[in-house]
Amino acid sequence: MMFVEWLKEELEHLKNRNLYRKRSVLPEEFIDFSSNDYLGLKDCKKTKEKLCKQIEKLSLGSGASALVSGYTEIQRNLEKTLADFKETEDCIVVGSGYMANTGLLQAVIKENDTVCSDEFNHASIIDGIRLTKAEKIIYRHNDIEDLERKIKKRKNKGQLFIVTDGVFSMEGDIARLKDIVDIAKRHDGVVIVDDAHSTGILGGGRGTLFHYGLKPDDSIIQMGTLSKAVGSYGAFVCGSKTLIEYLVNKMRTAIFTTALSPVQNFISLENLKVLKEEPERREYVLNTSRYITDRLKESGYRVEFKGTPIIPLIVGSEEKALKLRNFLMKRKIFIQAIRPPTVPEGTSRLRITVSYKHSKEDIDLLIETLKEAKPLIFD
Ligand SMILES: *Cc1c(COP(=O)(O)O)cnc(C)c1O
């Protein structure tokens, strides 16, 4: 078969199963309940004004990888700021969360090691683990007993790693990090927590570890992104001085790639300042998330407030998810339908995310429209 014919057939197959996707530009007038811009910082006025004043002095690109000549004063500042924020000795900033996870896991996990991963961990963690030759253990979602049982049965004799999302992106729930850290301590393991959705939201904005009042130490690695609540782009790994020194030398997604643009790093730094100075942003988001969940619950939806801005509305089939999405679009509300392989078969959903940008009117329109849409789901 010709290559292009094969591609066409695959696309046809996706369409038949309601799994076809396309990218679209969201028109201005839509209310976006799908963005990870929880704190409304991607359009932060303060940062935009400062950027306009500083733009003459900032290079537009970094020009090279960090180890060659692309490392800049502003990236160093950003790394120091993040290390302070996370109470760790040091930090490395890289291009994206996807790169941070794949690069970190590939660099630190060796053939003789064992890596335990929550079944709902983000795709970038799954791909990072695929790049290693270690023994892989997938444990049931947030199931500590299952995790410990499987750790005891592990075959490899090397280092033990436990990797978890801090907040699970499609479930919206928080990892049982205290229990995970306890287990890791009992088995001399290392914990890697992905704070993509916790940064800026949990633990005073500092992440999942702080949410539980845990202290960072040499056996805990905190990864996070600058692309979600921080409203910028890029990602970081925070940990001991030795870990960061090792990553500078070994992390392929930091070595064989151009360093982030100083403009982007400037935006991250300024948005982080706003995030710290305006705690009301995350308070509003969490209160609103609770409010929406309570109202939907009253009207018969099976939803639960998870302590985060993410509310998964699980409808089951891909078809129902698409119907509901399209119904909401007629009212200028946008919530993307999340389908397999992003979520398990039979759990297609609309993933509602709350933002500081949403007004009281936006919120009420969402609730009213979802009430009206109920017959589409419960037929
Ligand atoms: C979004 C996300 C990432 C990837 O971050 P990017 O900066 O978008 O590449 C990694 N982990 C989790 C849990 C995420 O939700």
Side-chain angles (χ1 to χ4, degrees):
M1 198 193 306
M2 294 282 287
F3 175 56
V4 179
E5 294 307 316
W6 178 81
L7 294 174
K8 281 183 186 158
E9 214 166 79
E10 286 295 305
L11 287 168
E12 219 33 61
H13 197 50
L14 288 174
K15 282 179 188 163
N16 292 339
R17 292 187 298 155
N18 283 317
L19 293 175
Y20 179 77
R21 295 155 149 105
K22 66 175 202 246
R23 302 172 297 171
S24 29
V25 180
L26 195 63
E28 276 287 327
E29 67 271 22
F30 273 77
I31 312 165
D32 185 359
F33 279 99
S34 280
S35 174
N36 299 315
D37 177 32
Y38 304 117
L39 303 179
L41 290 177
K42 81 178 167 71
D43 296 293
C44 180
K45 276 213 179 67
K46 269 190 200 165
T47 297
K48 282 187 179 183
E49 279 163 15
K50 284 191 183 164
L51 181 61
C52 286
K53 287 198 190 119
Q54 291 297 316
I55 197 74
E56 286 293 334
K57 290 187 204 148
L58 290 168
S59 290
L60 305 177
S62 72
S65 70
L67 280 181
V68 177
S69 65
Y71 197 49
T72 51
E73 199 59 48
I74 193 154
Q75 179 150 336
R76 187 63 206 139
N77 280 345
L78 178 58
E79 290 171 345
K80 279 189 176 151
T81 302
L82 287 162
D84 279 351
F85 196 45
K86 294 280 183 178
E87 293 182 12
T88 58
E89 287 173 0
D90 210 348
C91 167
I92 182 172
V93 162
V94 297
S96 73
Y98 187 88
M99 291 164 79
N101 276 335
T102 51
L104 167 68
L105 296 167
Q106 186 187 33
V108 300
I109 303 176
K110 299 155 306 302
E111 190 162 350
N112 195 31
D113 295 344
T114 303
V115 53
C116 305
S117 175
D118 188 291
E119 64 175 328
F120 289 170
N121 274 346
H122 189 261
S124 56
I125 294 178
I126 296 169
D127 291 359
I129 293 174
R130 281 184 185 150
L131 294 171
T132 77
K133 295 197 179 93
E135 175 186 11
K136 302 167 186 70
I137 292 176
I138 312 297
Y139 61 93
R140 283 206 296 272
H141 177 52
N142 241 342
D143 186 336
I144 302 303
E145 290 68 38
D146 191 46
L147 169 62
E148 181 138 47
R149 200 174 324 119
K150 287 174 173 164
I151 286 177
K152 285 180 180 156
K153 283 196 213 148
R154 75 184 185 278
K155 297 188 182 72
N156 279 6
K157 299 280 178 270
Q159 181 69 56
L160 171 72
F161 290 90
I162 307 173
V163 193
T164 183
D165 282 14
V167 168
F168 289 86
S169 47
M170 296 303 142
E171 303 301 312
D173 58 346
I174 305 172
R176 291 172 61 186
L177 196 61
K178 193 171 186 325
D179 297 329
I180 292 172
V181 168
D182 280 348
I183 292 187
K185 295 272 175 272
R186 283 207 293 282
H187 298 272
D188 294 322
V190 171
V191 173
I192 300 176
V193 56
D194 175 340
D195 270 338
H197 294 277
S198 339
T199 303
I201 304 294
L202 295 186
R206 289 188 298 167
T208 317
L209 213 56
F210 299 89
H211 171 77
Y212 286 105
L214 296 166
K215 284 270 167 246
D217 65 36
D218 290 356
S219 301
I220 299 175
I221 301 174
Q222 299 180 75
M223 169 274 172
T225 64
L226 300 163
S227 51
K228 286 167 179 156
V230 183
S232 177
Y233 193 68
F236 56 85
V237 179
C238 287
S240 68
K241 195 167 165 295
T242 313
L243 171 76
I244 304 308
E245 196 180 337
Y246 176 85
L247 292 177
V248 166
N249 283 278
K250 292 281 196 175
M251 194 173 173
R252 295 173 68 85
T253 55
I255 298 171
F256 300 107
T257 188
T258 302
L260 279 166
S261 148
V263 172
Q264 199 67 57
N265 287 336
F266 180 87
I267 295 166
S268 299
L269 262 173
E270 292 304 324
N271 275 3
L272 276 167
K273 279 186 202 159
V274 178
L275 183 156
K276 289 180 208 166
E277 286 162 6
E278 301 180 11
E280 62 272 21
R281 288 179 185 256
R282 70 172 167 275
E283 282 154 21
Y284 175 83
V285 166
L286 291 176
N287 289 338
T288 307
S289 177
R290 185 190 291 278
Y291 175 80
I292 295 174
T293 328
D294 287 349
R295 294 294 84 74
L296 292 180
K297 224 177 181 171
E298 281 166 12
S299 56
Y301 276 101
R302 261 173 280 130
V303 285
E304 216 58 64
F305 176 63
K306 309 277 180 70
T308 71
I310 304 168
I311 310 169
L313 206 70
I314 299 177
V315 298
S317 74
E318 289 79 64
E319 198 187 350
K320 275 186 189 172
L322 291 176
K323 262 193 196 161
L324 184 57
R325 180 193 70 187
N326 295 342
F327 181 84
L328 291 163
M329 281 186 80
K330 287 191 209 129
R331 304 293 170 80
K332 304 275 186 273
I333 293 173
F334 185 71
I335 311 179
Q336 185 56 282
I338 312 281
R339 291 161 282 164
T342 312
V343 292
E345 215 59 59
T347 70
S348 284
R349 66 198 66 186
L350 266 65
R351 173 180 173 272
I352 305 171
T353 52
V354 182
S355 169
Y356 186 68
K357 268 192 202 165
H358 297 141
S359 67
K360 182 85 177 71
E361 292 75 49
D362 297 341
I363 302 298
D364 289 335
L365 181 67
L366 171 72
I367 295 165
E368 287 314 310
T369 313
L370 280 173
K371 277 187 195 167
E372 266 178 66
K374 266 183 64 185
L376 288 178
I377 309 163
F378 305 103
D379 45 20

